[in-house]
Amino acid sequence: MNVLKSTLCAAMLAGCIAGQARAQDCGGTCTTQFEVYLDVVASCSFTGSTDVAFGSVPVIVGQQLDAYGSLTVSCNVPVAYRIGLDAGLHGSGVNDRRMASAGGEFIAYQLYSGATGTTPCTATAGAPWGDASGGCVYGDSYAGTPQDIQIHGRLTIANPRAGTYSDTVTATITY
């Protein structure tokens, strides 16, 4: 055991002496180098939104209704981003969005980007605004000022019962 301790102490002493021997003798002037760096991290968020409100309307079977809302996006640096919209609470997918009444009735609707519903949210003009599971995903790049992105809602009235219908859609931004 003493031999092991002696060997270990000798190795540590040799390491210390070697470290001192490597110290630079500058002769009065020494130099070294160091790095200066910064990691700039992009951050985007929704800073506002307006609902897509179809309003209060009398039922005319076959009538098409349009309504508009918006999302406002701000980022801390110029960066490309994408916005997806989920199916909402009552739909089975982005191609089957539905508003529900308290009585369990449904009215189908769809969401698009742009004022006319034909503005492409990717290369597919007129495709429903969706997410990674389907539809198209809105893409743009942030240029320094908050951006308002229009949401176009459209539905065709079938034969619903009177009542208040609503849905909640979740928007997700990735950058």
Side-chain angles (χ1 to χ4, degrees), residues 93-141:
V94 297
N95 292 307
D96 177 42
R97 290 186 171 109
R98 295 181 283 167
M99 293 180 281
S101 70
E105 300 288 324
F106 296 99
I107 295 177
Y109 70 96
Q110 197 44 266
L111 299 174
Y112 304 92
S113 65
T116 64
T118 58
T119 302
C121 50
T122 59
T124 310
W129 191 342
D131 59 15
S133 70
C136 61
V137 177
Y138 181 89
D140 205 345
S141 59

Side-chain angles (χ1 to χ4, degrees), residues 25-150:
D25 182 7
C26 304
T29 302
C30 291
T31 63
T32 191
Q33 296 175 339
F34 60 92
E35 293 183 27
V36 177
Y37 63 90
L38 168 68
D39 243 347
V40 176
V41 179
S43 175
C44 295
S45 62
F46 295 109
T47 56
S49 64
T50 58
D51 296 335
V52 177
F54 289 97
S56 178
V57 297
V59 173
I60 300 173
V61 176
Q63 178 183 16
Q64 184 172 304
L65 297 175
D66 293 295
Y68 302 92
S70 67
L71 299 169
T72 304
V73 172
S74 289
C75 301
N76 64 332
V77 296
V79 64
Y81 63 85
R82 296 169 50 89
I83 298 173
L85 302 180
D86 73 359
L89 297 176
H90 310 291
S92 63
V94 297
N95 292 307
D96 177 42
R97 290 186 171 109
R98 295 181 283 167
M99 293 180 281
S101 70
E105 300 288 324
F106 296 99
I107 295 177
Y109 70 96
Q110 197 44 266
L111 299 174
Y112 304 92
S113 65
T116 64
T118 58
T119 302
C121 50
T122 59
T124 310
W129 191 342
D131 59 15
S133 70
C136 61
V137 177
Y138 181 89
D140 205 345
S141 59
Y142 181 76
T145 59
Q147 294 172 300
D148 288 320
I149 296 116
Q150 192 165 41

Side-chain angles (χ1 to χ4, degrees), residues 10-23:
M12 289 172 46
L13 182 60
C16 288
I17 292 170
Q20 288 176 352
R22 280 183 267 178

